[in-house]
Amino acid sequence: MGMTISEKILAAHAGVDQVVPGEIINAKLDIVHANDVTGPVAIKEFEKFGVDKVFDKEKITLVPDHFTPNKDIPSAEQSKILKEFAKKMEIKHYWEIGRVGIEHCLLPEQGVVLPGDLIIGADSHTCTYGALGAFATGVGSTDCAAGMATGEAWFRVPESLKFVFHGANFQPWVSGKDLILYIIGKIGVDGARYKAMEFAGDGIRALSMDNRFTICNMAIEAGAKTGIIEPDEITLEYVKARAKREYKIYKSDPDAQYEEIYEFNSAEIPLQVAFPHLPENTKSVDEASGIKIDQVVIGSCTNGRLEDLEVAAKILKGKKIHPEIRCLVFPGTQQILLEAMRNGWIEAMIEAGAVVSTPTCGPCLGGHMGILAKGERALATTNRNFVGRMGHPQSEVYLCNPAVAAASAIRGEIVHPREVVNYG
Amino acid sequence: MAKAWKFGHDIDTDAIIPARYMNRSEPEHLAAHCMEDADASFAKKVQKGDIIVAGKNFGCGSSREHAPIAIKAAGVKAVIAESYARIFYRNALNIGLPILECPEAVQGIEAGDEVEVDLASGKIENKTKGTTFQARPFPPFMQELIKAGGLVPYVKEKMKNA
Ligand code: SF4
């Protein structure tokens, strides 16, 4: 019987020829990951195992990105726990401020996560790496601790859902963000609970890696265990320049079993906006048109990559951000920031009146550097708009892609980018 | 007396423990802000042994283990929901917060009802209304994990035998 890419990766890491959905397996891990929020809790649990070293110091990644540069004394203490553990265990993949970036932008960029890998991360958006054709899933700190100690984890083999996009003729400004918001709007925030979401079709194959990362990043927002895309030439080109170890390409068999196959016509998908307080509350941008906002956030592990900054910068270039709007830009990594700077995009954004931050999760989780007051409303390229996500419990977050965010920053209210720039 | 606290569908991890409090990870600190963005008075009023009753997809969102830790440290004895988000489900069992899946019980329990839960059998009794419900048993792999007392002792045991 044919297997999906997810099943093949799980089977290979469990050392068996075949797995079927529902089966519980124990599998070997290629990467175990944690950040400055989940890492300290994982380290505390790790210490309870009474072992004096991690299973493999090259296969653990520790990324201080949520509250860094440390926002206050308690967060500085958390970061310190992470740093000291990294030093003591001689963890190879640890980055200090100045080299660190948002975990899910940084690890693919640095070639640390690769196609065919089996990855657990103590962060729900670990599923981002599925864009490389890896099986990557978020776990809690205790699972992470066990992974760091043993290099293994148990998994329930998930059923797979397939999402096929027909045609590469997307509407102007439509991006990976719109496709995934559209899907979540259709199936709901628990529509893929416990399952693997596989994205396919010539619509997906036409997308850049940056757009594919955005799609897989938000699989968790439909409750999925992972999002995954078969590697192709675009994947390989991205990976070749970065990989420092071997990797393996897996593809789904033609007769692989899917619990459900959803098919979409790419040309029919309009720009999306998710209304508070769930990512499933999606409407087309035209239906959101005219909603007043106080803050625009461009960045995060969802949309803080180079192409995201490019789109935003090109819209903002030569224009002015609305006088009453705060527009905050959060590049995903130092390298992205540097390249955007070399291309003149950072300059364009600052001249328009935006503030550009160091790479950090910052306001995405209501952590720091851009918190909302009571009654304020943000339009953000992040992935969650839960109650209180970006600040006061009575603030609101709307989600969209970087083009809609940038155009709306100029107008002071949600608009379709065509209202602000000529598409040509 | 175990009192039921009732919440709706899709209660996310930001509602259970807002990220603004996650610059620290001590259980008592997290407990003081438990459920704050769903019910600001919860952390002050909840009594040891109370039970949370919620709709579908409880614990969706982030992977923060801080969420089940906050609930456990607030004194909550168990959570009964129609269904759970995947990572929360794993995390709760890994840290020893009992969670039961039982849509019928969720329908049949109102806020403030006195509820008794027998974790071993999965029997849920609504004493106020005089009704009983049977929760779905844990899948076998989870039973094994629970028998060991959570993931840490489970792994410790395995490593000893390796
Ligand atoms: S950017 Fe936001 S969603 Fe992404 S890892 Fe950071 S806090 Fe989580």
Side-chain angles (χ1 to χ4, degrees), chain A residues 35 65-66 102-104 123 125 217 300-302 360-361 364-365 382-384 389:
Chain A
N35 59 46
D65 60 352
H66 278 56
I102 301 172
E103 47 194 345
H104 310 309
D123 189 276
H125 294 103
N217 175 271
S300 83
C301 63
T302 315
T360 175
C361 291
C364 171
L365 78 161
T382 54
N383 47 41
R384 288 195 174 132
R389 175 72 179 179

PDB file of all heavy atoms in Angstrom, chain A residues 35 65-66 102-104 123 125 217 300-302 360-361 364-365 382-384 389, ligand 1:
ATOM      1  N   ASN A  35      13.051  27.146  22.763  1.00  0.00           N
ATOM      2  CA  ASN A  35      13.349  28.580  22.780  1.00  0.00           C
ATOM      3  C   ASN A  35      13.471  29.112  24.214  1.00  0.00           C
ATOM      4  O   ASN A  35      13.467  28.335  25.165  1.00  0.00           O
ATOM      5  CB  ASN A  35      12.286  29.340  21.972  1.00  0.00           C
ATOM      6  CG  ASN A  35      10.887  29.112  22.530  1.00  0.00           C
ATOM      7  OD1 ASN A  35      10.677  29.183  23.738  1.00  0.00           O
ATOM      8  ND2 ASN A  35       9.935  28.837  21.659  1.00  0.00           N
ATOM      9  N   ASP A  65      14.544  33.818  21.390  1.00  0.00           N
ATOM     10  CA  ASP A  65      13.935  34.785  20.466  1.00  0.00           C
ATOM     11  C   ASP A  65      12.669  35.453  20.972  1.00  0.00           C
ATOM     12  O   ASP A  65      12.283  36.497  20.456  1.00  0.00           O
ATOM     13  CB  ASP A  65      13.636  34.097  19.115  1.00  0.00           C
ATOM     14  CG  ASP A  65      12.672  32.926  19.244  1.00  0.00           C
ATOM     15  OD1 ASP A  65      12.340  32.544  20.383  1.00  0.00           O
ATOM     16  OD2 ASP A  65      12.254  32.372  18.213  1.00  0.00           O
ATOM     17  N   HIS A  66      12.013  34.891  21.984  1.00  0.00           N
ATOM     18  CA  HIS A  66      10.691  35.422  22.336  1.00  0.00           C
ATOM     19  C   HIS A  66      10.745  36.762  23.063  1.00  0.00           C
ATOM     20  O   HIS A  66      10.046  37.692  22.710  1.00  0.00           O
ATOM     21  CB  HIS A  66       9.909  34.397  23.154  1.00  0.00           C
ATOM     22  CG  HIS A  66       9.243  33.367  22.297  1.00  0.00           C
ATOM     23  ND1 HIS A  66       9.931  32.588  21.401  1.00  0.00           N
ATOM     24  CD2 HIS A  66       7.942  33.005  22.176  1.00  0.00           C
ATOM     25  CE1 HIS A  66       9.077  31.784  20.771  1.00  0.00           C
ATOM     26  NE2 HIS A  66       7.863  32.023  21.229  1.00  0.00           N
ATOM     27  N   ILE A 102      14.247  34.854  14.698  1.00  0.00           N
ATOM     28  CA  ILE A 102      13.051  34.106  15.093  1.00  0.00           C
ATOM     29  C   ILE A 102      13.254  32.650  14.658  1.00  0.00           C
ATOM     30  O   ILE A 102      13.552  32.379  13.494  1.00  0.00           O
ATOM     31  CB  ILE A 102      11.787  34.701  14.453  1.00  0.00           C
ATOM     32  CG1 ILE A 102      11.625  36.172  14.877  1.00  0.00           C
ATOM     33  CG2 ILE A 102      10.562  33.889  14.833  1.00  0.00           C
ATOM     34  CD1 ILE A 102      10.508  36.910  14.151  1.00  0.00           C
ATOM     35  N   GLU A 103      13.122  31.756  15.612  1.00  0.00           N
ATOM     36  CA  GLU A 103      13.473  30.344  15.432  1.00  0.00           C
ATOM     37  C   GLU A 103      13.080  29.751  14.069  1.00  0.00           C
ATOM     38  O   GLU A 103      13.902  29.135  13.404  1.00  0.00           O
ATOM     39  CB  GLU A 103      12.856  29.513  16.578  1.00  0.00           C
ATOM     40  CG  GLU A 103      11.385  29.856  16.819  1.00  0.00           C
ATOM     41  CD  GLU A 103      10.822  29.329  18.142  1.00  0.00           C
ATOM     42  OE1 GLU A 103      11.433  28.465  18.769  1.00  0.00           O
ATOM     43  OE2 GLU A 103       9.731  29.801  18.543  1.00  0.00           O
ATOM     44  N   HIS A 104      11.820  29.956  13.667  1.00  0.00           N
ATOM     45  CA  HIS A 104      11.348  29.261  12.463  1.00  0.00           C
ATOM     46  C   HIS A 104      11.796  29.935  11.164  1.00  0.00           C
ATOM     47  O   HIS A 104      11.575  29.409  10.085  1.00  0.00           O
ATOM     48  CB  HIS A 104       9.835  29.091  12.511  1.00  0.00           C
ATOM     49  CG  HIS A 104       9.382  28.508  13.807  1.00  0.00           C
ATOM     50  ND1 HIS A 104       9.942  27.367  14.328  1.00  0.00           N
ATOM     51  CD2 HIS A 104       8.481  28.935  14.726  1.00  0.00           C
ATOM     52  CE1 HIS A 104       9.376  27.109  15.503  1.00  0.00           C
ATOM     53  NE2 HIS A 104       8.497  28.045  15.771  1.00  0.00           N
ATOM     54  N   ASP A 123       7.753  24.385  20.502  1.00  0.00           N
ATOM     55  CA  ASP A 123       7.083  25.579  19.993  1.00  0.00           C
ATOM     56  C   ASP A 123       6.095  25.081  18.948  1.00  0.00           C
ATOM     57  O   ASP A 123       6.458  24.283  18.077  1.00  0.00           O
ATOM     58  CB  ASP A 123       8.062  26.565  19.355  1.00  0.00           C
ATOM     59  CG  ASP A 123       7.349  27.874  19.043  1.00  0.00           C
ATOM     60  OD1 ASP A 123       6.718  27.967  17.975  1.00  0.00           O
ATOM     61  OD2 ASP A 123       7.393  28.780  19.886  1.00  0.00           O
ATOM     62  N   HIS A 125       4.798  26.284  16.360  1.00  0.00           N
ATOM     63  CA  HIS A 125       5.026  26.559  14.937  1.00  0.00           C
ATOM     64  C   HIS A 125       6.224  25.819  14.338  1.00  0.00           C
ATOM     65  O   HIS A 125       6.676  26.132  13.239  1.00  0.00           O
ATOM     66  CB  HIS A 125       5.112  28.065  14.697  1.00  0.00           C
ATOM     67  CG  HIS A 125       3.802  28.736  14.976  1.00  0.00           C
ATOM     68  ND1 HIS A 125       3.574  29.444  16.130  1.00  0.00           N
ATOM     69  CD2 HIS A 125       2.639  28.745  14.285  1.00  0.00           C
ATOM     70  CE1 HIS A 125       2.311  29.871  16.124  1.00  0.00           C
ATOM     71  NE2 HIS A 125       1.729  29.463  15.019  1.00  0.00           N
ATOM     72  N   ASN A 217       3.721  27.005   8.324  1.00  0.00           N
ATOM     73  CA  ASN A 217       3.755  27.653   9.639  1.00  0.00           C
ATOM     74  C   ASN A 217       2.380  27.635  10.301  1.00  0.00           C
ATOM     75  O   ASN A 217       2.255  27.420  11.508  1.00  0.00           O
ATOM     76  CB  ASN A 217       4.245  29.096   9.449  1.00  0.00           C
ATOM     77  CG  ASN A 217       4.211  29.933  10.708  1.00  0.00           C
ATOM     78  OD1 ASN A 217       3.202  30.569  10.992  1.00  0.00           O
ATOM     79  ND2 ASN A 217       5.291  29.929  11.468  1.00  0.00           N
ATOM     80  N   SER A 300       7.320  38.406  12.044  1.00  0.00           N
ATOM     81  CA  SER A 300       7.057  37.144  12.741  1.00  0.00           C
ATOM     82  C   SER A 300       7.542  35.938  11.937  1.00  0.00           C
ATOM     83  O   SER A 300       7.967  36.068  10.789  1.00  0.00           O
ATOM     84  CB  SER A 300       5.569  36.951  13.071  1.00  0.00           C
ATOM     85  OG  SER A 300       4.873  36.427  11.963  1.00  0.00           O
ATOM     86  N   CYS A 301       7.407  34.750  12.552  1.00  0.00           N
ATOM     87  CA  CYS A 301       7.838  33.516  11.892  1.00  0.00           C
ATOM     88  C   CYS A 301       6.925  33.177  10.729  1.00  0.00           C
ATOM     89  O   CYS A 301       7.223  32.299   9.935  1.00  0.00           O
ATOM     90  CB  CYS A 301       7.899  32.366  12.885  1.00  0.00           C
ATOM     91  SG  CYS A 301       6.318  31.926  13.605  1.00  0.00           S
ATOM     92  N   THR A 302       5.788  33.872  10.637  1.00  0.00           N
ATOM     93  CA  THR A 302       4.870  33.628   9.532  1.00  0.00           C
ATOM     94  C   THR A 302       5.249  34.465   8.309  1.00  0.00           C
ATOM     95  O   THR A 302       5.293  33.963   7.193  1.00  0.00           O
ATOM     96  CB  THR A 302       3.422  33.973   9.951  1.00  0.00           C
ATOM     97  OG1 THR A 302       3.179  33.425  11.230  1.00  0.00           O
ATOM     98  CG2 THR A 302       2.416  33.445   8.960  1.00  0.00           C
ATOM     99  N   THR A 360      12.970  39.574  16.643  1.00  0.00           N
ATOM    100  CA  THR A 360      12.443  39.074  17.918  1.00  0.00           C
ATOM    101  C   THR A 360      10.982  38.710  17.704  1.00  0.00           C
ATOM    102  O   THR A 360      10.367  39.200  16.762  1.00  0.00           O
ATOM    103  CB  THR A 360      12.547  40.129  19.042  1.00  0.00           C
ATOM    104  OG1 THR A 360      11.918  39.615  20.225  1.00  0.00           O
ATOM    105  CG2 THR A 360      11.854  41.433  18.673  1.00  0.00           C
ATOM    106  N   CYS A 361      10.438  37.862  18.577  1.00  0.00           N
ATOM    107  CA  CYS A 361       9.010  37.564  18.488  1.00  0.00           C
ATOM    108  C   CYS A 361       8.200  38.786  18.900  1.00  0.00           C
ATOM    109  O   CYS A 361       7.118  39.034  18.386  1.00  0.00           O
ATOM    110  CB  CYS A 361       8.671  36.391  19.395  1.00  0.00           C
ATOM    111  SG  CYS A 361       9.369  34.853  18.806  1.00  0.00           S
ATOM    112  N   CYS A 364       4.262  39.787  18.530  1.00  0.00           N
ATOM    113  CA  CYS A 364       3.480  38.668  17.996  1.00  0.00           C
ATOM    114  C   CYS A 364       2.749  37.933  19.105  1.00  0.00           C
ATOM    115  O   CYS A 364       1.608  37.552  18.960  1.00  0.00           O
ATOM    116  CB  CYS A 364       4.375  37.700  17.233  1.00  0.00           C
ATOM    117  SG  CYS A 364       3.524  36.183  16.780  1.00  0.00           S
ATOM    118  N   LEU A 365       3.433  37.745  20.232  1.00  0.00           N
ATOM    119  CA  LEU A 365       2.797  37.046  21.356  1.00  0.00           C
ATOM    120  C   LEU A 365       2.477  38.014  22.486  1.00  0.00           C
ATOM    121  O   LEU A 365       2.275  37.594  23.619  1.00  0.00           O
ATOM    122  CB  LEU A 365       3.680  35.891  21.854  1.00  0.00           C
ATOM    123  CG  LEU A 365       4.884  36.207  22.740  1.00  0.00           C
ATOM    124  CD1 LEU A 365       5.330  34.983  23.481  1.00  0.00           C
ATOM    125  CD2 LEU A 365       5.999  36.844  22.001  1.00  0.00           C
ATOM    126  N   THR A 382       1.080  38.257  11.557  1.00  0.00           N
ATOM    127  CA  THR A 382       1.412  37.138  12.433  1.00  0.00           C
ATOM    128  C   THR A 382       0.391  36.016  12.219  1.00  0.00           C
ATOM    129  O   THR A 382      -0.363  36.042  11.239  1.00  0.00           O
ATOM    130  CB  THR A 382       1.428  37.621  13.888  1.00  0.00           C
ATOM    131  OG1 THR A 382       0.175  38.250  14.171  1.00  0.00           O
ATOM    132  CG2 THR A 382       2.528  38.661  14.095  1.00  0.00           C
ATOM    133  N   ASN A 383       0.345  35.053  13.144  1.00  0.00           N
ATOM    134  CA  ASN A 383      -0.468  33.874  12.893  1.00  0.00           C
ATOM    135  C   ASN A 383      -1.634  33.672  13.852  1.00  0.00           C
ATOM    136  O   ASN A 383      -2.432  32.773  13.668  1.00  0.00           O
ATOM    137  CB  ASN A 383       0.423  32.635  12.893  1.00  0.00           C
ATOM    138  CG  ASN A 383       1.357  32.625  14.085  1.00  0.00           C
ATOM    139  OD1 ASN A 383       0.964  32.968  15.196  1.00  0.00           O
ATOM    140  ND2 ASN A 383       2.605  32.247  13.868  1.00  0.00           N
ATOM    141  N   ARG A 384      -1.691  34.452  14.923  1.00  0.00           N
ATOM    142  CA  ARG A 384      -2.752  34.225  15.918  1.00  0.00           C
ATOM    143  C   ARG A 384      -3.435  35.530  16.290  1.00  0.00           C
ATOM    144  O   ARG A 384      -2.754  36.531  16.496  1.00  0.00           O
ATOM    145  CB  ARG A 384      -2.180  33.596  17.185  1.00  0.00           C
ATOM    146  CG  ARG A 384      -1.804  32.189  16.957  1.00  0.00           C
ATOM    147  CD  ARG A 384      -1.571  31.415  18.233  1.00  0.00           C
ATOM    148  NE  ARG A 384      -1.352  30.046  17.822  1.00  0.00           N
ATOM    149  CZ  ARG A 384      -0.358  29.272  18.245  1.00  0.00           C
ATOM    150  NH1 ARG A 384       0.480  29.720  19.155  1.00  0.00           N
ATOM    151  NH2 ARG A 384      -0.232  28.055  17.786  1.00  0.00           N
ATOM    152  N   ARG A 389      -3.870  38.390  22.607  1.00  0.00           N
ATOM    153  CA  ARG A 389      -2.617  37.883  22.032  1.00  0.00           C
ATOM    154  C   ARG A 389      -1.546  38.982  21.922  1.00  0.00           C
ATOM    155  O   ARG A 389      -0.372  38.732  22.114  1.00  0.00           O
ATOM    156  CB  ARG A 389      -2.892  37.300  20.643  1.00  0.00           C
ATOM    157  CG  ARG A 389      -1.660  36.837  19.874  1.00  0.00           C
ATOM    158  CD  ARG A 389      -1.067  35.571  20.435  1.00  0.00           C
ATOM    159  NE  ARG A 389       0.100  35.137  19.655  1.00  0.00           N
ATOM    160  CZ  ARG A 389       0.826  34.064  19.940  1.00  0.00           C
ATOM    161  NH1 ARG A 389       0.546  33.316  20.980  1.00  0.00           N
ATOM    162  NH2 ARG A 389       1.857  33.731  19.200  1.00  0.00           N
TER     163      ARG A 389
HETATM  164  S1  SF4 C   1       6.984  34.942  15.931  1.00  0.00           S
HETATM  165 FE1  SF4 C   1       5.149  34.612  17.130  1.00  0.00          FE
HETATM  166  S2  SF4 C   1       4.297  32.673  16.485  1.00  0.00           S
HETATM  167 FE2  SF4 C   1       6.401  32.805  15.703  1.00  0.00          FE
HETATM  168  S3  SF4 C   1       7.644  31.750  17.234  1.00  0.00           S
HETATM  169 FE3  SF4 C   1       7.621  33.914  17.769  1.00  0.00          FE
HETATM  170  S4  SF4 C   1       5.885  34.146  19.192  1.00  0.00           S
HETATM  171 FE4  SF4 C   1       5.645  32.183  18.164  1.00  0.00          FE
END
